[in-house]
Amino acid sequence: MTCQEAERLVTPYIRDELSGDELEAFLTHLERCRSCQEELEIYFMVDVGLKQLDSGAGTFDIMGALQHRIAESYARVRRMWAVRRLLYAVNTLGIMAVAVTVLLQVRIWFF
Ligand SMILES: [Zn+2]
């Protein structure tokens, strides 16, 4: 993912609108790109700051909230892969079960 692509995902990320795959690519880019991290921090601060003005809440740990948000995003990506591995395993077992059934049937017919 290029910086340009990552920058386009900043706002959808803050609004929690990214798909699992987009989220993973976005996080991977952020890990090694300081300038996109800063971009996200600025947008996040503005977004959260504006909401706070609306709600009139007191001081709030914006950077802490962002770190919490990113940690949640990693958890979401991990869950996505856990589900995919599970589906893959179920699928593989299903195919094996069919193969075994066919083999047994063939044995009955020919041996
Ligand atoms: Zn970047």
Side-chain angles (χ1 to χ4, degrees), residues 19-79:
S19 72
D21 287 313
E22 284 172 330
L23 187 61
E24 186 180 29
F26 184 67
L27 291 172
T28 306
H29 181 87
L30 280 189
E31 276 169 19
R32 50 190 171 71
C33 184
R34 185 64 203 142
S35 88
C36 287
Q37 278 174 35
E38 280 165 7
E39 182 100 354
L40 175 63
E41 283 165 14
I42 291 164
Y43 274 77
F44 191 79
M45 271 191 261
V46 170
D47 190 76
V48 172
L50 286 176
K51 275 180 200 147
Q52 260 190 281
L53 283 179
D54 283 345
S55 67
T59 49
F60 180 69
D61 178 13
I62 292 180
M63 291 313 287
L66 179 58
Q67 272 157 21
H68 184 72
R69 184 66 167 303
I70 289 170
E72 273 176 3
S73 301
Y74 275 106
R76 192 183 147 198
V77 169
R78 277 197 302 273
R79 276 198 303 277

Side-chain angles (χ1 to χ4, degrees), residues 1-11 26 29-30 36:
M1 178 176 281
T2 64
C3 287
Q4 219 182 358
E5 286 167 331
E7 278 163 24
R8 236 179 292 141
L9 296 181
V10 167
T11 306
F26 184 67
H29 181 87
L30 280 189
C36 287

